[in-house]
Amino acid sequence: MAKEMEATLEMFANDCQYIHKNSDKKLTNNVAMQVLMYGTVREKFQLSAQTTIHTIRRVCSNRKTSITNHIKRINFCTNIS
């Protein structure tokens, strides 16, 4: 069960990285990001609708946080320890 969870977290992080790298770095609006990336991400990674929306929201949220806290590099990793 732990390996399945780790694999899921790794997939989620990879999906977030893909969205971040393949969209305008200034884009932080969830709805605008969904319009641009939803279909591509869902098809490319074979994700459920809910997981696709969560990855898009995570990227937008991390971008907003990085702007507020003046962080230049965003990294999506699976290291939860």
Side-chain angles (χ1 to χ4, degrees), residues 28-46:
T28 60
N29 183 284
N30 294 339
V31 176
M33 180 75 80
Q34 274 180 233
V35 169
L36 293 175
M37 299 298 293
Y38 180 84
T40 303
V41 172
R42 192 133 187 242
E43 184 179 324
K44 181 174 179 66
F45 295 102
Q46 299 297 306

Side-chain angles (χ1 to χ4, degrees), residues 24-76:
D24 181 0
K25 303 301 183 265
K26 294 179 182 178
L27 183 59
T28 60
N29 183 284
N30 294 339
V31 176
M33 180 75 80
Q34 274 180 233
V35 169
L36 293 175
M37 299 298 293
Y38 180 84
T40 303
V41 172
R42 192 133 187 242
E43 184 179 324
K44 181 174 179 66
F45 295 102
Q46 299 297 306
L47 300 175
S48 69
Q50 184 175 13
T51 304
T52 303
I53 295 301
H54 283 300
T55 57
I56 290 169
R57 286 183 181 168
R58 173 57 58 92
V59 171
C60 291
S61 175
N62 282 19
R63 285 180 176 179
K64 289 174 189 174
T65 300
S66 72
I67 290 167
T68 301
N69 296 328
H70 308 288
I71 299 169
K72 294 186 180 189
R73 185 165 184 223
I74 298 175
N75 188 25
F76 300 93

